[in-house]
Amino acid sequence: MAGMEGTPDLFALDARLGDEETMIRDTVRRFVDSEFLPVVAEHFEAGTFPEELIPTIGEMGLFGMHLEGYGCAGASATAYGIACRELERGDSGLRSLVSVQGSLCMFPIWRYGSTEQKERYLPGMAAGEIIGCFGLTEPDHGSDPANMSTRAVRRGDEWVLNGAKRWITNAGIADIAIVWARSEEGMRGFIVPTDTPGFEAHRIHGKLSLRASVTGEFYLDDVVVPEENRLPDALSIGAPLSCLSEARYGIAFGVVGAATACFESARDYMLERPQFGRPLASFQISQIKFADMLTAITNSQLQAFRLGELKEAGEIRPVHISMAKRHNVRAAIDVARMARAMLGANGVSLEYPPIRHMANLESVLTYEGTEEIHGLILGQEITGIPAFR
Ligand code: TGC
Ligand code: FAD
């Protein structure tokens, strides 16, 4: 009897996709297979992102693809999720680029910006001509951004920003930064061109996860921006947290792609490689591992698809996203580790994807709300008691 081939989808969930969603899935999958996968290992080793692919990603309409107007594709929430899944089948760093640009930088302008800001920035960002980064985390404030140190002081028609942001995806290559800062009036968000005097960005080196993604830090030393660069409708910590909801949604789908790549790699390897005179896939222990991996992937697919339905129905709540982000990242890490071990010594080589995904997923577990923070969000939903502080 022939075994399962290709991408696992035991419950035929992709059959529910509409024509446009299927077309987006196939286009992104072809791009990842033909243009990204051939170069990812060398970039991962070098600690670089293949920046020459950014215009193609823009042409495919993937930046801010779930937003309407201003040059954005206006695709469905599920289509955005499926695109994230296919991108992260390539590498979490590739999905990160699209998450940060679309959900963390374009979304706040689209949701909280003025018409002038939207017209000025969104078309260029959708095309990949203007790259953004999102500065919320600081050296001393990660899980608790509401207590951040960065300050914005109003001075007539302008604002003076001081502070430091660390662990910022794309800092160092970005043209603009979305900067969150506390002011006497409350939490505020600003669009800061990275060539503004007093703005200085550095790359973080020695990072052993998400290596095919640029991560950095930036400093704001008396950076002056005009009032017209403030996001007028962002008036509390709820504004940056709502951007996180957008990006976390994409991660819940994305990590299904990373897990799938690991599963396929282990399955194909074990079917081919004989030990003790038979293919490794023929041993019962291997098959139980495949069963556990496929079950974990299927559970994650189900959560992701339901999340898409809730988002499209306008019924999604942050706690739904927390459950799916937390569950699906943990499931993907477990699958990646299992796949890594099933490849034996070859599993520690960049020639095969599992170790790269396994290392990447450690960042994905931490960023966009750690596993513990999402657990506490669920704990609050269950008990009604916030246990963060
Ligand atoms: P809390 O009192 O719970 O809430 C304050 C206000 O915000 C609202 N809110 C949200 N709104 C939309 N989406 C969400 N996810 C929201 N969470 C909360 C809330 O309803 C409330 O509104 P209102 O009107 O009642 O005032 O706030 P808190 O300060 O106690 O924070 C709670 C906590 C711990 C959950 C929050 O701080 C948190 O999520 N911390 C984790 C920080 C985090 O995830 N940082 C991510 C940085 S960006 C990043 O990692 C990018 S990685 C990019 C990549 O490469 O992909
Ligand atoms: P901490 O908050 O110090 O947490 C350390 C540990 O303590 C964690 O295990 C955490 O779960 C636990 N902990 C914290 N609070 C509690 C509590 N109340 N109860 C129990 N346990 C708790 N940020 C951005 O703003 N923009 C970006 O683009 C961005 N990109 C990133 C890219 C990468 C590769 C990485 C690794 C991070 C990135 N981040 C970004 C930062 C990321 O969001 C933070 O690292 C994350 O929010 C956690 O903050 P922290 O690292 O300060 O950890």
Coordinates of all heavy atoms in Angstrom, one line a residue, residues 134-137 142-143 167-169 210 215 363 366-368 370 372-373 376 388, ligand 2:
F134 N 9.4 47.5 14.1 CA 8.4 47.8 15.2 C 9.1 47.8 16.5 O 9.6 46.8 17.0 CB 7.3 46.7 15.1 CG 6.2 46.8 16.1 CD1 5.1 47.5 15.9 CD2 6.3 46.0 17.3 CE1 4.0 47.6 16.8 CE2 5.3 46.0 18.2 CZ 4.1 46.8 18.0
G135 N 9.2 49.0 17.1 CA 9.9 49.1 18.4 C 9.1 49.1 19.6 O 8.6 50.2 20.0
L136 N 8.8 48.0 20.2 CA 8.1 47.9 21.5 C 9.0 47.5 22.6 O 9.1 48.1 23.6 CB 6.9 47.0 21.3 CG 5.9 46.9 22.5 CD1 5.2 48.2 22.7 CD2 4.9 45.8 22.3
T137 N 9.7 46.3 22.4 CA 10.6 45.7 23.4 C 11.8 46.6 23.7 O 12.4 47.2 22.8 CB 11.0 44.4 22.9 OG1 9.9 43.6 22.6 CG2 11.8 43.6 24.0
G142 N 10.3 43.6 28.3 CA 9.9 42.7 27.2 C 8.5 42.3 27.4 O 7.6 42.8 26.7
S143 N 8.2 41.4 28.3 CA 6.8 40.9 28.5 C 5.9 42.0 29.1 O 4.7 41.9 28.9 CB 6.8 39.7 29.5 OG 7.5 38.7 28.9
W167 N 16.1 43.9 20.4 CA 15.5 42.7 19.9 C 14.4 43.1 18.8 O 13.3 42.7 18.9 CB 14.9 41.8 20.9 CG 15.9 41.2 21.8 CD1 16.1 41.5 23.1 CD2 16.9 40.3 21.5 NE1 17.2 40.8 23.6 CE2 17.7 40.0 22.6 CE3 17.2 39.6 20.3 CZ2 18.8 39.2 22.6 CZ3 18.3 38.7 20.3 CH2 19.1 38.5 21.4
I168 N 14.8 44.0 17.9 CA 13.9 44.5 16.9 C 14.2 43.9 15.6 O 15.2 44.2 15.0 CB 14.0 46.1 16.9 CG1 13.8 46.6 18.3 CG2 12.9 46.6 15.9 CD1 12.5 46.2 19.0
T169 N 13.2 43.1 15.0 CA 13.3 42.6 13.7 C 13.4 43.7 12.7 O 12.6 44.6 12.7 CB 12.1 41.6 13.4 OG1 12.1 40.6 14.4 CG2 12.3 41.0 12.0
L210 N 16.7 32.0 14.4 CA 16.3 33.0 13.4 C 17.4 33.7 12.7 O 17.5 34.9 12.6 CB 15.3 34.0 14.1 CG 14.1 34.4 13.3 CD1 13.1 33.2 13.3 CD2 13.4 35.6 13.9
T215 N 18.0 41.1 13.1 CA 17.5 41.5 14.4 C 18.5 42.5 15.0 O 19.7 42.4 14.9 CB 17.4 40.3 15.4 OG1 16.8 39.2 14.8 CG2 16.6 40.7 16.6
S363 N 12.9 31.2 19.0 CA 12.6 32.6 19.0 C 11.1 32.8 18.9 O 10.5 33.7 19.6 CB 13.2 33.3 17.8 OG 14.6 33.5 18.0
T366 N 9.4 32.7 22.1 CA 9.6 33.9 23.0 C 9.0 35.1 22.4 O 8.4 35.9 23.2 CB 11.2 34.1 23.1 OG1 11.7 33.0 23.9 CG2 11.5 35.4 23.8
Y367 N 9.1 35.4 21.1 CA 8.6 36.7 20.7 C 7.1 36.6 20.5 O 6.5 35.6 20.5 CB 9.4 37.2 19.5 CG 9.3 36.6 18.1 CD1 8.1 36.0 17.6 CD2 10.3 36.7 17.2 CE1 8.0 35.4 16.3 CE2 10.3 36.1 15.9 CZ 9.1 35.5 15.5 OH 9.1 35.0 14.2
E368 N 6.5 37.8 20.4 CA 5.1 38.0 20.3 C 4.3 37.4 21.4 O 3.2 36.8 21.3 CB 4.6 37.3 19.0 CG 5.0 38.1 17.7 CD 4.3 39.4 17.6 OE1 3.4 39.7 18.5 OE2 4.6 40.2 16.7
T370 N 5.6 35.4 25.2 CA 6.2 34.1 25.5 C 5.1 33.0 25.8 O 3.9 33.4 26.0 CB 7.1 34.2 26.7 OG1 6.3 34.5 27.9 CG2 8.2 35.3 26.6
E372 N 4.7 31.5 28.5 CA 4.1 31.7 29.8 C 3.1 32.9 29.7 O 2.0 32.8 30.4 CB 5.2 32.1 30.8 CG 6.1 30.9 31.2 CD 7.2 30.6 30.1 OE1 7.4 31.4 29.2 OE2 7.7 29.5 30.1
I373 N 3.4 34.0 29.0 CA 2.5 35.1 29.0 C 1.2 34.7 28.3 O 0.1 35.0 28.8 CB 3.1 36.3 28.2 CG1 4.3 36.9 29.0 CG2 2.1 37.3 27.8 CD1 3.8 37.5 30.3
L376 N -0.7 32.8 30.8 CA -1.4 33.7 31.8 C -2.6 34.3 31.2 O -3.6 34.6 31.9 CB -0.4 34.7 32.3 CG 0.8 34.1 33.1 CD1 1.8 35.2 33.5 CD2 0.3 33.5 34.4
F388 N -0.4 38.5 36.0 CA 0.8 39.0 35.4 C 1.7 39.8 36.4 O 2.9 39.8 36.3 CB 0.5 40.0 34.3 CG -0.4 39.4 33.2 CD1 -1.7 39.8 33.2 CD2 0.1 38.5 32.3 CE1 -2.6 39.3 32.3 CE2 -0.8 38.0 31.3 CZ -2.1 38.4 31.3
Ligands
FAD2 P1 11.2 38.6 29.7 O1 9.9 39.4 29.7 O2 12.3 39.2 30.6 O3 10.9 37.2 30.2 C1 11.9 36.2 30.5 C2 11.2 34.9 31.0 O4 10.3 35.2 32.1 C3 10.3 34.3 30.0 O5 10.3 32.9 30.1 C4 8.9 34.8 30.3 O6 7.8 34.0 29.9 C5 9.0 34.8 31.9 N1 8.1 35.8 32.4 C6 7.9 37.1 32.2 N2 6.9 37.7 32.9 C7 6.4 36.6 33.6 C8 5.3 36.5 34.5 N3 4.6 37.6 34.9 N4 5.0 35.3 35.1 C9 5.8 34.2 34.7 N5 6.8 34.2 33.9 C10 7.1 35.4 33.3 N6 10.2 42.9 20.0 C11 9.7 44.0 19.3 O7 9.2 45.0 19.9 N7 9.8 44.1 18.0 C12 10.4 43.1 17.2 O8 10.5 43.2 16.0 C13 10.9 42.0 17.9 N8 11.6 41.0 17.2 C14 12.2 40.0 17.9 C15 12.9 39.1 17.2 C16 13.6 38.0 17.9 C17 14.5 37.1 17.1 C18 13.4 37.9 19.3 C19 14.1 36.8 20.0 C20 12.7 38.8 20.0 C21 12.0 39.8 19.3 N9 11.3 40.8 20.0 C22 10.8 41.9 19.3 C23 11.3 40.8 21.4 C24 10.3 39.8 22.1 O9 9.0 40.3 21.9 C25 10.6 39.7 23.5 O10 11.8 39.0 23.6 C26 9.5 39.0 24.3 O11 8.4 39.8 24.4 C27 10.0 38.6 25.7 O12 10.6 39.7 26.4 P2 12.0 39.5 27.1 O13 12.9 38.9 26.1 O14 12.4 40.8 27.7 O15 11.8 38.4 28.2

